[in-house]
Amino acid sequence: MLQIANLVKKYGDKTAVDGLNLHVTHGETVVIMGPSGCGKSTTIRCINRLTEPTAGELIFQGVALNQLAYPELLQVRKRIGFVFQQFNLVRRLTALENVMLGLVTGGMDKEEARVLANNALAKVGMGKYVLQKPPELSGGQQQRVGIARALALEPELMLWDEPTASLDPILVREVLDVMEDLSKTQNITMVVVTHELPFALHVADRIVLMDKGKVVEEGLPQQVFSNPQSHVGEQYRQLIDYQLNMTEQKIYGKRIIA
Ligand code: ADP
Ligand code: MG
C-alpha cells in the first residue's frame, strides 16, 4: 500500500535521509526505531510531504505522492492520519472542536464533522471529555484527542512520530493501549516511530531499524531483537537484556525482603 524508493532529504549540505527504501503492506503495523538524529521524523514526514523530499519516489495506493500538485496532495492527505509528538491542539477549543477543525476546514459540513469527531473521540475512550479544553486534560488525554483528530476521517494509513515521547511515563500506557487497540481492531495500516520497546516487541508486525538516514535492518521483532544483524540492532538487544535483568533483580530483591 506504500512504497518508498530511494528517498533522499537534504538540509543544505546535511543529508538527513540517504536513499531509504521501505515497503509497507496493507494492514501492517511497522515500527521504525533508531538513534536520535538518524532521520526517523524526516522519513515519516516525507511520506505525506509535511517535509518535501529532495529526491525519491513515494507511491501510496498506486498514486505517486511526490508528483502530485498541492490541491491533489491535500485530497490524498485526507486518507493519511498523522499523530505528532507535541499534540498540536488548539488550547482555546474543546476536544470536540479540535477534532472537528480539520474536517470543517477541509470543506465538510459542520454537523457531519460533529458526528465523525464524536465517533473518533469515542474510539479512543474520550467520549466523556468532548467538551473539555486541552488545559483541563492530562497529557495522555490530550494525545488521545490528537489520535482522534487523525482517526476522524477513517484514514487508510496512520503515521505516528514518537506519540508518547512528550508524556509523563505514568501516562504513556494509556496511549500505547489505544495504539495497540487500533492496530489490532481497525483496518488501518500504521507506520510508528517509537522508542517503546515493549510496544515494538508486542504489537509490531515488522521492525525497521534506521541508522544515518538508511534502513540497516528489518524483520520480525523476535528475529531482529534476538539475533540482530546490525550494530543498532545489537544495541537494542543489549538494552532489552539489561531491562529484563533489572526487572528480574527487582523481583528477586522483593522476594528476599518479603
Ligand atoms: P530523528 O527523528 O531520527 O531523531 P530527524 O529526522 O529529526 O531525526 O533528523 C535527522 C537529521 O536531520 C538530524 O541531523 C537533524 O538535525 C536534521 N534536521 C532535521 N530537521 C531539520 C531541519 N528542519 N533543518 C535542518 N536540519 C534538520
Ligand atoms: Mg524524531
Side-chain angles (χ1 to χ4, degrees):
M1 78 111 60
L2 175 70
Q3 278 120 350
I4 305 176
N6 302 316
L7 180 68
V8 176
K9 176 63 186 181
K10 293 187 180 180
Y11 294 105
D13 293 345
K14 175 150 187 71
T15 303
V17 178
D18 190 10
L20 179 132
N21 295 294
L22 181 66
H23 285 210
V24 181
T25 58
H26 184 82
E28 217 184 359
T29 296
V30 172
V31 167
I32 301 180
M33 305 182 92
S36 179
C38 73
K40 304 179 298 295
S41 294
T42 306
T43 299
I44 205 162
R45 292 174 64 87
C46 279
I47 294 175
N48 62 358
R49 287 173 54 194
L50 291 177
T51 294
E52 276 296 343
T54 305
E57 272 208 322
L58 296 157
I59 315 280
F60 169 66
Q61 303 280 49
V63 178
L65 294 183
N66 47 301
Q67 287 168 18
L68 292 182
Y70 196 64
E72 287 98 62
L73 176 65
L74 287 184
Q75 288 307 311
V76 177
R77 272 196 195 150
K78 291 181 178 173
R79 294 154 55 194
I80 305 177
F82 200 107
V83 181
F84 300 88
Q85 176 178 339
Q86 308 295 342
F87 326 127
N88 296 350
L89 300 177
V90 183
R91 288 171 61 84
R92 64 186 165 77
L93 299 182
T94 64
L96 182 67
E97 289 164 342
N98 264 287
V99 179
M100 286 174 64
L101 186 64
L103 304 177
V104 173
T105 50
M108 189 181 287
D109 167 74
K110 222 175 167 181
E111 285 320 303
E112 193 184 347
R114 190 184 303 278
V115 172
L116 289 186
N118 271 312
N119 284 346
L121 284 159
K123 266 188 198 159
V124 298
M126 287 294 289
K128 281 191 195 150
Y129 304 96
V130 294
L131 298 180
Q132 311 271 342
K133 294 179 180 172
E136 301 155 4
L137 298 170
S138 73
Q141 290 170 333
Q142 289 183 53
Q143 186 57 303
R144 286 194 276 151
V145 176
I147 296 170
R149 181 181 49 194
L151 262 184
L153 276 173
E154 301 186 343
E156 294 150 63
L157 173 66
M158 264 179 90
L159 307 173
W160 310 72
D161 190 8
E162 298 202 36
T164 59
S166 303
L167 295 175
D168 186 317
I170 272 174
L171 302 175
V172 165
R173 177 73 192 274
E174 70 183 66
V175 171
L176 293 179
D177 282 347
V178 167
M179 294 169 67
E180 180 173 351
D181 181 59
L182 294 176
S183 161
K184 296 205 164 140
T185 63
Q186 310 285 310
N187 192 22
I188 308 177
T189 307
M190 308 210 316
V191 180
V192 187
V193 174
T194 183
H195 293 295
E196 298 292 338
L197 276 166
F199 177 86
L201 274 163
H202 184 61
V203 183
D205 295 308
R206 186 153 52 100
I207 303 285
V208 172
L209 298 183
M210 283 183 67
D211 197 12
K212 301 190 182 84
K214 287 189 167 79
V215 172
V216 290
E217 181 162 3
E218 57 183 303
L220 296 172
Q222 295 79 353
Q223 168 200 326
V224 167
F225 291 134
S226 64
N227 185 22
Q229 304 298 310
S230 63
H231 175 63
V232 172
E234 178 56 25
Q235 287 176 315
Y236 280 114
R237 192 189 65 75
Q238 287 175 15
L239 182 60
I240 290 171
D241 271 2
Y242 172 79
Q243 289 179 349
L244 282 174
N245 254 324
M246 291 302 275
T247 311
E248 274 168 16
Q249 278 178 28
K250 271 189 193 143
I251 292 167
Y252 185 57
K254 256 190 197 165
R255 281 198 192 130
I256 288 174
I257 293 164

